[in-house]
Amino acid sequence: MGVDAFGTVLSFSTDGGTVYNPVANVTEVGVLDVSVDTLETTTHGSAGQWRTFVSGLKDGGELRMSINYDPTTHNAIYSEIGQDDTKFRVSLPDTGAATVSFDGVITGWSSSAPMDDLLTAEITIKVSGAPVIVL
């Protein structure tokens, strides 16, 4: 069993989260890439000489998306590169209600113009703080 990903929407807000603008022509989008650091707690008395750990800081990771690039249509999202106050929201297509929202910084933009294909761009967003999942 699973959920068809077709219809997933990535939006961004530059006004603190009041109005979200969908990114057009998205062909693939990441949703979550969360990780947790581990801190070693091993001592000379650790049972059986096994290393032991506890959890440390959490990291929201990076979200990557691919778009069919149109310089005019994508000027607004391009202008957010390096901005610290951008909010993002991924709306999942399950019922239209599930979302993943987060603050983020666009840290990468790579576009290409192949001779025999569409203009494309790959965008990388670094998540800042905790992503919020609403079901």
Side-chain angles (χ1 to χ4, degrees), residues 37-131:
D37 292 339
T38 54
L39 308 171
E40 187 169 357
T41 58
T42 310
T43 67
H44 286 289
S46 292
Q49 295 182 316
W50 285 98
R51 293 184 184 273
T52 57
F53 299 88
V54 296
S55 61
L57 295 174
K58 300 170 191 167
D59 186 338
E62 292 182 333
L63 177 144
R64 290 181 179 82
M65 69 177 195
S66 303
I67 59 174
N68 290 334
Y69 179 45
D70 178 338
T72 304
T73 302
H74 294 108
N75 187 50
I77 187 83
Y78 183 81
S79 68
E80 291 302 304
I81 293 173
Q83 299 299 314
D84 293 331
D85 56 353
T86 307
K87 296 189 176 300
F88 295 90
R89 181 173 60 203
V90 179
S91 300
L92 302 174
D94 58 344
T95 63
T99 60
V100 178
S101 300
F102 57 91
D103 293 342
V105 178
I106 297 176
T107 59
W109 183 292
S110 175
S111 52
S112 64
M115 176 192 68
D116 58 349
D117 208 348
L118 300 173
L119 287 172
T120 60
E122 304 292 323
I123 302 166
T124 304
I125 303 166
K126 177 63 181 158
V127 176
S128 178

